[in-house]
Amino acid sequence: MQLQTAGSNGPAEVNVVEPEPALQGPQKPFKQFQNHSSSLPFGQPTSLASIGGPTYVTAQTLIQQVAYALSDRLWTYSPDTFDLDIAVKNWFSDGAKNTYGYPTTVESMQIRQGAASIALGYVFSKDFDLKKRHIPQSILASSSVLGHLREALDQLSLLYSVASPFVAHLAAVNYAGASGQLVTDYVSALSLAEDLGFGMVSSFSAYEAQHMSLFSTLLSSIIPTLHLYEGVKTARETTRVIDVLDQAGLQNTYRAVQNEISSFEKSTRDVEARVIRLLDAFNEELGTQYGLFEYTGHDSPDSVLVVFGTVESSLASQVALSLARDGAKVGVLNVRVYRPFIEAKFLEILPASVKTIGVLGQVQDSSVTSDSSIHSLLYNDIVAAISFAEKWSVSPVVLDIKYPRETSWTPVSIAAAFQMLVEKPILHAQSEADDRNSSPLQLLDPSSVQQYTFWDVDTSISVSAPTAFGQALATESMSNVTTRTAYDNLLQGGVIRTDVRKSPKSIEAPYSIDAADMVYIGEQTLLKDIDMLSGLKFGGKVLLRLPGVKDEDLENKLPLAFRKGLGIKAAQLYILDSPAIEVVANDPNLEAFLSEIAFLRTALPTQEKYGLQKLASVNGNSEIFEELSKTLDDALRLVEIPDAWTTAEIEDDIPTLVKDIKVNSFDAFDKIEVEPPTYLKNWKTAAKGLAFKEAYETKSALRPDLSVKTYTVQVQENRRLTPPSYDRNIFHIEFDLGNSGLKYEIGEALGIHAENDEVEVNDFIKFYNLDPNEVVEVPSRENPAQLENRTVYQALMQNVDIFGRPPKRFYEALADYAKNPDERRELTTLGGPTKDGNQEFKRRAEVDTVTYADILLEFPSAHPSFHDIVKIVSPMKRREYSIASCQKVTPTSIALMIVVVGWVDPRGRDRFGQATRYLNKLKVGATVTVSVKPSVMKLPPKSTQPLIMAGLGTGLAPFRAFVQHRAWEKARGKEIGSVLLYMGSRHQREEYCYGEEWEAYQDAGVITLLGRAFSRDQPQKIYIQDRMRQTMNDIIQAYLKEEGAFYLCGPTWPVPDVTNVLEDAISRDSKTLGKKTNPRTEIEKLKEELRYVLEVY
């Protein structure tokens, strides 16, 4: 169900605030179009009073209008760039009044645990005005913050009988894991509504957003309600809606429906009956036909898809109608009011002819889709309803069609969901002629709908041009225009895609354009990462901004796949060379206007004169557009596509390009880096601070630059554990804690704040011609945003990682300082994205193991000052090592077990790890700055729980502390669990580190089993997993029967093999007990219980 289509309903107003004119030259004022937010119509601020009648809006704006107009107070929880509350904050700031005659208070809240508690505090405060008890209180938020709101909402549900009506308008949008991609997240809200007993209402499109916001607000008088809508695409698309209620219309409808149902509510407390009556009254007042569940498709379907969600419902309805027209006996049942789930209404709407039901249900991620033991929430409701229904003699089959939150739905993928319900193909195979079309399922009429896609980088001067172009098209009263902009801030530093559609009828297409009439490409480098031609229709046009490139050089500039694609698509290629026009070359701000004119001329050549006036009404002015239009031929040319481009062969190893971006933001990334404030210019400033401490508030502190608490300790023992002749130097170092106050727990790590080698530092100072005593500012090694005042010598010893490995960005930054052209060229190549540059960089980093100092020595013409060096060279980081002692046993000392990292580079130079060399050279009595870091390696809560430990090399360090602690407990009469220690190294003679200690603990009954694996002491290699497998029964008893904890510390390579042993132990034990278990699932449970702990590197 949606609002009246635009058809021929007269002109639509574009209710946006006119941009302020900017001056270009002394006599040429013009409007500079600015996109304020993608959640606003055409990115422009909209006044509350202007919303009403036929108008261009976004769903997000309409939802804010309803929330502001009908609420006493609004609490908003909008993550950065989401702008879920940008309009209401502006209206509140302007003093706009709600339907009750006063400005709705808008409180923008922090997103943290316990959020929404302030809302509860307000509603249940003794100072709360009881006259406002009937006025709704509202929240604007995204589904990503529901975890923080849950506690307060739980309390609200328990106290709702004495609370004000409450409604939360939730944009279904969240970040997905490590990818950072923005996804449509219904799962979080569905789970919360089910657990807390909230109402749940869904909008199917932008055309319904206002009505469903209003209905949800009315529903909140019965139960606390969540209004859920798709927040990535639909909510932010600018579109024309005809029957938008203004504030007075909202007020009248709200009161009329309330009056209509008030007598009915007094007669029954049945929530489901009240909800049904409310929706009936709502439809009667508005003349609409909304249903709790809505069916679309074949009159007598064999198969029905049950769907919840905005894009899912919209697309499934359109696809079902298309397939039904072609004879497919399919349909879709869209769930509008999901909670309360009124089974009687669901069964009433579901066609009696159905034999197969597919439930399209969202789940958390792809791992759940492949797990048959987990079902979607929607599936569980549908199965329950069907199982107890008496409508069929043989109940329909119900299939669970799960999909992860990352799914981006298109007409074809929705059709694929329908295909899972039927045996015969529902989409006809395409012929070669059909292949010219992008999609086998065309929901939009290509003869009446014009589609344009714009690609650009977010730093482009023309970045707002597509939205301005869309707004200009929207000034045509007989047309309906939609625009949507998407951002990928991870691809090439920031890529923007804008889709613009134009049609004489309303457009409902919540998916990216796949058959554009024209594609604009604002940056040539995008061609190497994105297949932009995949979204171009056959015979379409391409406008490529490519300044300064002649036709004879074009082939070298365009990738082979792009050239071939142009030929296959029979595309027309236009080149825009903006600087070819002198006035644009002199004033780059005019390039945005030129891009708009060029697009207008190529896309709509017969409408240029009229179109220029429309463009001038949005940005620029008529004089500028006319002048640029006259000279456009100097910059715009049509290129003939050679036949050779079409027939060119593409190598198999060329990587597949992405066809669309992954949205990870709603705004471009702010790339402006603010230079940190500088306070110290010379040694005199520092001297004043030391001489006049009170006046300058100077305080003495140990390493105040560090973000962690630090301690000073002294070396009391430093001994080598392996023979001097052995190639691996493993040593034991112990520190006297003195009166430092350092405390640590079992399993924690000690952070070593190491220093560079003094000889190498002095050599660098001499080579670089530095004054070692000059006072300079350097970034803190723990927090680069903090500045520290040091001498050059101190900075190179303790702060600047001058002997560390440089990343690519160092070469790129250093190139700016190179005076020699050849050196500058080579540095640029090393810092750039080219294949040769990547290979050479990799060789230098992994084979030559060059340092920052090596590079500065190699390229002498690149000689930045020391102040600049500290900006482009990374600060030193602390190195952390597992503590190999228990403070209960050695209260005044702390021990580490370390292997010196060393190698010889191709030039024959000895190289060392900075921290291990520093520690190895320390003499007894030397002071060291240290800090303590928590770790996942913690003992189980009970001393009787067994320990199963596997350590390779220095991975034994934390287990020495574990065993010391168990020995300490045993000595005090505590009962301790069994201790199984597996150790791995190459040779017993050279690397049996702490061997005598282990055997002594075994003799004392602390260590139960000592599994030693020396891989190279016999012909066949033996590893710790082999020793574990040999003692499988001991592991089953200790780990599974006695609920022990397993720990692995060391390199990552044995993890799969060791885990396989544990899984086999679980399988064997389950088989013995006659139980059926999934070992991998059991391992995951053990992880959650902290009984399977890895600390690998």
Side-chain angles (χ1 to χ4, degrees), residues 202-248:
S202 171
S203 294
F204 295 170
S205 70
Y207 300 103
E208 301 178 355
Q210 187 190 49
H211 283 183
M212 287 304 101
S213 299
L214 176 55
F215 176 74
S216 299
T217 306
L218 285 161
L219 182 60
S220 68
S221 65
I222 301 174
I223 51 175
T225 302
L226 307 179
H227 170 219
L228 192 62
Y229 57 96
E230 199 276 337
V232 180
K233 295 180 180 178
T234 307
R236 316 184 85 83
E237 181 176 78
T238 299
T239 192
R240 187 190 190 202
V241 181
I242 300 303
D243 297 332
V244 176
L245 297 171
D246 60 13
Q247 183 159 303

Side-chain angles (χ1 to χ4, degrees), residues 253-500:
T253 303
Y254 183 78
R255 290 179 177 175
V257 175
Q258 277 194 320
N259 292 336
E260 181 65 27
I261 65 171
S262 59
S263 58
F264 181 80
E265 289 189 340
K266 293 176 182 177
S267 65
T268 180
R269 303 307 299 170
D270 185 330
V271 171
E272 291 189 359
R274 294 167 67 190
V275 172
I276 293 171
R277 181 67 191 102
L278 174 64
L279 185 57
D280 289 342
F282 187 77
N283 284 327
E284 290 167 8
E285 180 64 27
L286 290 177
T288 51
Q289 296 179 344
Y290 295 116
L292 302 175
F293 306 92
E294 297 176 10
Y295 175 79
T296 305
H298 196 279
D299 292 337
S300 301
D302 292 331
S303 305
V304 170
L305 193 66
V306 181
V307 170
F308 176 87
T310 305
V311 173
E312 293 85 341
S313 298
S314 172
L315 275 180
S317 296
Q318 296 180 65
V319 171
L321 281 175
S322 177
L323 296 176
R325 283 195 294 266
D326 291 340
K329 300 183 74 173
V330 298
V332 61
L333 193 150
N334 292 323
V335 180
R336 181 179 298 284
V337 179
Y338 185 33
R339 289 287 183 265
F341 190 88
I342 304 178
E343 288 187 6
K345 282 293 182 181
F346 169 76
L347 296 172
E348 177 186 322
I349 298 297
L350 186 63
S353 61
V354 66
K355 298 180 179 62
T356 305
I357 299 172
V359 181
L360 196 64
Q362 190 185 80
V363 292
Q364 186 73 16
D365 52 45
S366 55
S367 66
V368 180
T369 61
S370 57
D371 189 341
S372 59
S373 66
I374 302 177
H375 298 291
S376 67
L377 293 171
L378 183 58
Y379 172 83
N380 293 334
D381 286 308
I382 302 307
V383 167
I386 298 297
S387 298
F388 297 101
E390 299 178 356
K391 187 171 183 175
W392 301 272
S393 56
V394 178
S395 296
V397 175
V398 184
L399 303 178
D400 192 6
I401 305 175
K402 297 180 290 187
Y403 67 95
R405 298 179 302 166
E406 294 88 341
T407 303
S408 181
W409 291 106
T410 65
V412 173
S413 59
I414 287 289
F418 279 107
Q419 184 66 73
M420 298 175 70
L421 309 181
V422 298
E423 294 181 359
K424 295 181 179 180
I426 57 176
L427 292 181
H428 300 296
Q430 290 178 280
S431 65
E432 287 189 19
D434 292 331
D435 277 342
R436 293 179 175 182
N437 298 319
S438 309
S439 171
L441 185 65
Q442 192 68 259
L443 299 181
L444 300 177
D445 182 2
S447 65
S448 61
V449 179
Q450 298 161 17
Q451 302 185 92
Y452 311 112
T453 299
F454 298 78
W455 295 91
D456 216 332
V457 292
D458 59 19
T459 53
S460 169
I461 194 72
S462 304
V463 72
S464 296
T467 308
F469 182 80
Q471 187 176 350
L473 292 179
T475 59
E476 186 179 332
S477 61
M478 301 303 293
S479 294
N480 294 272
V481 174
T482 66
T483 66
R484 182 172 65 246
T485 299
Y487 298 85
D488 186 340
N489 290 344
L490 302 180
L491 186 62
Q492 292 200 9
V495 176
I496 297 180
R497 170 179 179 156
T498 301
D499 282 354
V500 178

Side-chain angles (χ1 to χ4, degrees), residues 808-944:
K808 258 182 171 291
R809 63 177 180 271
F810 174 73
Y811 294 94
E812 182 182 10
L814 191 62
D816 293 337
Y817 297 95
K819 297 178 180 178
N820 183 296
D822 294 335
E823 290 187 3
R824 186 186 306 115
R825 189 180 306 110
E826 186 174 356
L827 286 167
T828 302
T829 300
L830 286 165
T834 65
K835 182 178 181 181
D836 290 343
N838 288 335
Q839 289 178 345
E840 176 62 13
F841 171 79
K842 185 176 181 181
R843 184 190 66 78
R844 286 168 170 266
E846 298 178 4
V847 180
D848 294 348
T849 60
V850 296
T851 67
Y852 290 101
D854 291 333
I855 301 306
L856 291 169
L857 178 64
E858 181 182 354
F859 298 94
S861 80
H863 197 88
S865 69
F866 191 77
H867 287 276
D868 289 329
I869 283 180
V870 300
K871 294 178 183 178
I872 62 177
V873 175
S874 301
M876 291 166 63
K877 302 292 184 184
R878 70 178 182 272
R879 301 295 192 271
E880 280 132 2
Y881 301 93
S882 296
I883 297 173
S885 59
C886 169
Q887 196 163 26
K888 287 185 172 66
V889 177
T890 58
T892 62
S893 66
I894 188 170
L896 302 177
M897 177 190 186
I898 297 171
V899 60
V900 174
V901 178
W903 68 97
V904 179
D905 71 10
R907 295 166 58 183
R909 297 178 297 179
D910 289 327
R911 297 288 204 178
F912 299 95
Q914 184 249 0
T916 58
R917 176 170 66 168
Y918 166 75
L919 288 169
N920 188 50
K921 293 172 65 175
L922 289 175
K923 305 296 183 183
V924 173
T927 58
V928 182
T929 302
V930 300
S931 55
V932 176
K933 180 188 177 184
S935 169
V936 294
M937 304 285 282
K938 297 183 184 298
L939 284 168
K942 299 177 183 178
S943 64
T944 53

